[in-house]
Amino acid sequence: MALSRSLRLPLLTALLLPLAAQAADVVRVPIPGSDFPIAAAVEVPAGKATIYLSGKVPAVTNPAAPKDSVEAFGDMKTQTISVLTQIQKQLEGMGLGMKDVVKMQAFLVGGPETSGKMDFKGFMEGYTQFFGKDAKQMNLPARSAFQIAALGNPGMRIEIEVIAVRP
């Protein structure tokens, strides 16, 4: 039995629309005239699953140091790499990767070793190990970085949370 012309178009649209939505990609808008390794904006098409990862803090890198000291966790670069490595492993366990991160919030703590100022340079040295350093990771997230008063452990200098999108 042939479908009437009035039923064919709606049926075809209903079948093809989900395929078009699946083919839509995440759009990352660069900062105009800048090579700073973050996106000015990220557009996530309808129908994509978003994954909200809770904040991660650094792992102890020197177990011989007092557990509440910067020496236990390392400098800002070391702590940033530790946190982003944990995030990367969690994403990989979910079938995702750092390329799927669309939004990042980094909470940085200043300490006596930096005269109370956050070590943004150290943060960026760790961050660029994962984002924007070379062509293999140019899927940059929209990102904010804040200086906060403290984290739960006085030796920790960073906590990062991310939102990822399942491709």
Side-chain angles (χ1 to χ4, degrees), residues 51-53 87-97 164 166:
I51 297 90
Y52 300 82
L53 270 63
I87 289 170
Q88 183 175 40
K89 287 179 182 174
Q90 184 174 5
L91 289 170
E92 287 171 354
M94 300 171 72
L96 300 167
R166 191 166 299 283

Side-chain angles (χ1 to χ4, degrees), residues 56-75:
K56 298 278 186 219
V57 294
V60 171
T61 58
N62 180 2
K67 65 181 180 178
D68 61 351
S69 69
V70 173
E71 293 76 24
F73 298 96
D75 62 11

Side-chain angles (χ1 to χ4, degrees), residues 102-130:
V102 295
K103 174 69 174 147
M104 176 185 294
Q105 291 185 302
F107 305 94
L108 311 176
V109 176
E113 71 281 2
T114 56
S115 303
K117 305 278 189 218
M118 66 181 183
D119 179 4
F120 191 74
K121 181 178 184 264
F123 165 68
M124 287 303 294
E125 288 172 357
Y127 172 86
T128 55
Q129 301 292 312
F130 296 82

Side-chain angles (χ1 to χ4, degrees), residues 1-21:
M1 176 175 158
L3 289 174
S4 72
R5 185 174 207 169
S6 62
L7 290 177
R8 279 186 282 184
L9 185 57
L11 182 59
L12 187 59
T13 301
L15 292 173
L16 293 179
L17 198 53
L19 295 176

